[in-house]
Amino acid sequence: MSVTVLPFVWSAGGELVKARVTQCALSRICGMCSRPLGRPVAFVGTPLEVGRNAFHCPPLHAACVGELRALPYADPTWEVVTTSGFEYVRPNREDADQRPTFQPNSLL
Amino acid sequence: MAIADVKEYTHLSTEEVEQLGRELDAIRAEIEESRGAADAAYINKMIRMQRGLAFAGRVTLFASHKKPAWAAGAAMLGAAKILENMEIGHNVMHGQWDWMNDPEIHSSNWEWDTAQPAEQWKHSHNYVHHQFTNVLGHDNDIGYGILRMAREQKWHPVNLGQPVYNALLAGLFQWGVSLHDLDLEAIRKGRKDPKEMKRQLKQIVRKGRNQILKDYVVYPALSGKNWKTTLTANATANVTRNIWSYMIIFCGHFPDGAMHFTEEELEDETRAEWYLRQMLGSANFEGSRLTHVMAGSLGYQIEHHLFPDLPSNRYPEIAVKVRALCDKYDIPYTTGPLYRQYGQTLRTIMKLSLPNKMTSDDSPEPPSPSIDRGRKTDAERPTRRTETGAYMRRATS
């Protein structure tokens, strides 16, 4: 029997858990290991997310990105951006996608 | 009671609530776009001032056997601690200055001059308090687990001692806050992960020990034969900071007009509804610019709760716009002189030491007649989340 540490913010099925996404955003903890973020902060996202500068995955330690990429549900198209700060944006009623987003405000 | 049921804004249609949200978004966007060198200069100036005060206070206390030096040193040190905790530490840890990309003035790196470890503050305050503002059973800032602060909370004979507990909490505030993220209720109910509790306790002991060493051993020792008077001055500075920060923090959510909520699950709020709950659950106070700076800009508690990660020096200009929106949409904007806001808070503490039937409710009447906006049923809402604090999950295969 093997024991695997699951990332804090993803369910076993690979879905983002909304309550934990909020916790990562406000407590400023890593979505992978749940420990306090450092500087810079890393975000992973599809080319679309990178292009619009709005990410669904919560902030990560740069060192945790590799571990996340190794998970079976990691998106192979994910790109990494680093920033010093970010805005946490809750969805509006009319937004088709009701997930909150992270918007880096000082890309490095 | 869901936010959608709150009588203070049920006169607004869903579209009006969303329009209010869009207008608040526009205020936010305007500040984000204009954030720059002047804001950076402000926080750097605050840090320089705070360090200057702390240095001058410590040096003056080398002569603490002379009463004027004792008084001046204690005053400067107390002011430095207040400035560090309130306007600098609290706001830096919200990430208000992260955009500067400064290695020191960053939410990840700042460790403040008080007993609670920064990491635990960012959970108990930034997340639990700011996400679940004034929601009974979720927001541990409602009475800090010691005081009964809402009529919806069940009365117990132990509440008769509230005036005493309140005085103790004020005087020992940094130590009370240091235990805040432990979540004593979760421990009592067996819901706290023992490993996480042990990790947090270690952090608290380490931080508390360093605070004690600094103010009650190292600096008094550096004063040589004046060690005793330096120690009492340091204690005075700490108690002054404790009482001031307690008063400012309690004025943020407990004057008349600041509402409590009892909804179990708020994850389905829209951004506009979240804004509304922050506005209705918070209270400002009026004062000079100096008072606001020493209060960590929490005299603009409403604006702080709407935009906790925007630079605090911008709250005065944001407040003008937010107040205009409250007038436009006929939403209460709770504010008043500091003495009145704290007076109301103190009266609430005294009154709620008694059962509800022995006291009257001081909540003001809502501004407009309400309309039925409808709300989600319990079945339509997601289940309540119960975890608190950081923890690791493991899967076996």
Side-chain angles (χ1 to χ4, degrees):
Chain A
M1 185 175 71
S2 66
V3 178
T4 315
V5 174
L6 294 174
F8 178 69
V9 84
W10 281 269
S11 69
E15 295 293 319
L16 284 169
V17 180
K18 189 177 171 186
R20 293 196 192 119
V21 170
T22 306
Q23 183 172 349
C24 289
L26 302 185
S27 293
R28 305 190 104 73
I29 56 176
C30 171
M32 187 72 195
C33 69
S34 80
R35 295 298 173 220
L37 289 168
R39 192 187 68 96
V41 175
F43 286 99
V44 295
T46 61
L48 178 70
E49 289 174 284
V50 174
R52 70 182 186 189
N53 195 42
F55 298 81
H56 292 299
C57 295
L60 301 160
H61 291 122
C64 286
V65 170
E67 211 177 327
L68 175 62
R69 280 183 181 280
L71 292 171
Y73 46 81
D75 186 330
T77 69
W78 271 348
E79 297 172 17
V80 184
V81 300
T82 56
T83 178
S84 178
F86 59 85
E87 318 295 342
Y88 175 61
V89 182
R90 293 174 172 83
N92 264 327
R93 184 182 294 275
E94 63 265 29
D95 292 344
D97 190 336
Q98 283 294 302
R99 291 176 294 171
T101 58
F102 296 87
Q103 300 178 4
N105 60 23
S106 41
L107 287 169
L108 300 172
Chain B
M1 180 171 62
I3 185 68
D5 297 329
V6 172
K7 57 188 176 182
E8 271 71 7
Y9 87 98
T10 45
H11 60 285
L12 299 177
S13 67
T14 302
E15 180 45 43
E16 284 171 324
V17 173
E18 294 305 310
Q19 180 56 29
L20 169 64
R22 283 190 284 272
E23 295 196 54
L24 288 165
D25 284 345
I27 294 174
R28 180 187 183 98
E30 191 184 325
I31 299 293
E32 283 173 5
E33 281 159 21
S34 60
R35 198 167 43 189
D39 304 294
Y42 171 81
I43 190 65
N44 279 302
K45 186 174 102 181
M46 282 297 133
I47 292 171
R48 278 198 307 275
M49 276 174 54
Q50 186 274 330
R51 289 180 180 168
L53 274 169
F55 178 77
R58 299 283 189 197
V59 169
T60 305
L61 288 174
F62 288 148
S64 58
H65 60 294
K66 294 178 181 169
K67 278 186 181 170
W70 185 96
M76 284 190 281
L77 190 57
K81 282 175 179 283
I82 286 170
L83 206 49
E84 197 281 334
N85 287 183
M86 305 295 281
E87 182 65 349
I88 303 170
H90 163 248
N91 291 325
V92 168
M93 286 191 287
H94 265 296
Q96 291 185 6
W97 311 96
D98 284 3
W99 56 273
M100 288 165 51
N101 192 23
D102 186 297
E104 188 187 12
I105 310 169
H106 195 274
S107 60
S108 301
N109 300 335
W110 197 270
E111 186 58 68
W112 57 349
D113 180 10
T114 189
Q116 192 185 36
E119 178 191 329
Q120 294 185 30
W121 171 261
K122 283 183 277 187
H123 178 258
S124 63
H125 178 80
N126 291 8
Y127 172 57
V128 179
H129 172 61
H130 274 268
Q131 175 67 6
F132 303 102
T133 308
N134 277 22
V135 181
L136 294 162
H138 283 253
D139 183 358
N140 294 330
D141 279 26
I142 305 176
Y144 282 76
I146 300 170
L147 303 175
R148 178 176 180 248
M149 295 303 298
R151 299 183 77 78
E152 296 90 335
Q153 291 173 306
K154 197 177 170 187
W155 182 84
H156 187 278
V158 80
N159 297 128
L160 287 169
Q162 283 209 157
V164 177
Y165 314 148
N166 178 57
L168 288 171
L169 181 63
L172 300 169
F173 197 58
Q174 72 159 328
W175 300 106
V177 171
S178 75
L179 302 176
H180 201 33
D181 198 38
L182 274 179
D183 197 346
L184 299 179
E185 193 184 339
I187 294 172
R188 205 169 56 237
K189 291 180 176 172
R191 294 200 323 244
K192 184 94 180 179
D193 178 348
K195 274 189 187 165
E196 176 60 13
M197 182 172 70
K198 198 173 163 190
R199 191 183 73 85
Q200 287 189 317
L201 274 170
K202 268 187 187 170
Q203 275 186 336
I204 293 167
V205 168
R206 197 182 314 124
K207 182 82 192 284
R209 182 196 61 202
N210 290 344
Q211 290 296 105
I212 290 169
L213 275 174
K214 173 165 61 83
D215 281 336
Y216 302 117
V217 178
V218 174
Y219 280 108
L222 289 173
S223 291
K225 62 180 193 286
N226 297 330
W227 68 270
K228 203 181 282 185
T229 45
T230 295
L231 189 148
T232 59
N234 289 354
T236 302
N238 277 320
V239 171
T240 305
R241 181 274 318 276
N242 287 352
I243 292 171
W244 176 255
S245 45
Y246 146 85
M247 185 175 71
I248 297 303
I249 287 168
F250 268 63
C251 282
H253 299 287
F254 306 117
D256 298 353
M259 298 190 58
H260 297 105
F261 309 98
T262 54
E263 177 55 56
E264 283 199 329
E265 178 53 59
L266 295 149
E267 293 296 327
D268 57 348
E269 276 178 332
T270 67
R271 181 155 85 235
E273 287 176 334
W274 181 85
Y275 278 143
L276 270 165
R277 183 161 54 82
Q278 303 303 324
M279 292 163 87
L280 296 172
S282 306
N284 284 7
F285 61 77
E286 296 154 359
S288 66
R289 185 71 195 124
L290 178 65
T291 305
H292 281 301
V293 168
M294 296 306 277
S297 301
L298 294 180
Y300 300 103
Q301 188 79 237
I302 295 169
E303 289 71 23
H304 175 61
H305 266 262
L306 286 170
F307 310 115
D309 50 4
L310 291 185
S312 59
N313 60 314
R314 307 298 288 274
Y315 287 158
E317 65 183 272
I318 295 172
V320 175
K321 294 170 185 170
V322 170
R323 191 162 193 167
L325 283 179
C326 286
D327 288 342
K328 177 179 171 184
Y329 289 93
D330 199 13
I331 297 166
Y333 186 86
T334 306
T335 190
L338 181 56
Y339 70 85
R340 192 175 76 198
Q341 303 301 84
Y342 183 65
Q344 290 177 351
T345 301
L346 201 54
R347 187 201 57 209
T348 297
I349 292 169
M350 300 299 167
K351 283 179 96 166
L352 294 185
S353 65
L354 300 169
N356 284 352
K357 63 185 176 191
M358 295 176 70
T359 60
S360 58
D361 189 353
D362 298 304
S363 304
E365 280 299 303
S368 302
S370 64
I371 59 170
D372 183 10
R373 299 175 54 246
R375 58 164 294 193
K376 289 187 177 181
T377 65
D378 287 345
E380 289 172 312
R381 293 173 187 279
T383 52
R384 180 184 174 188
R385 59 179 287 277
T386 54
E387 75 270 24
T388 57
Y391 67 96
M392 298 300 281
R393 299 173 299 132
R394 289 172 189 277
T396 54
S397 58

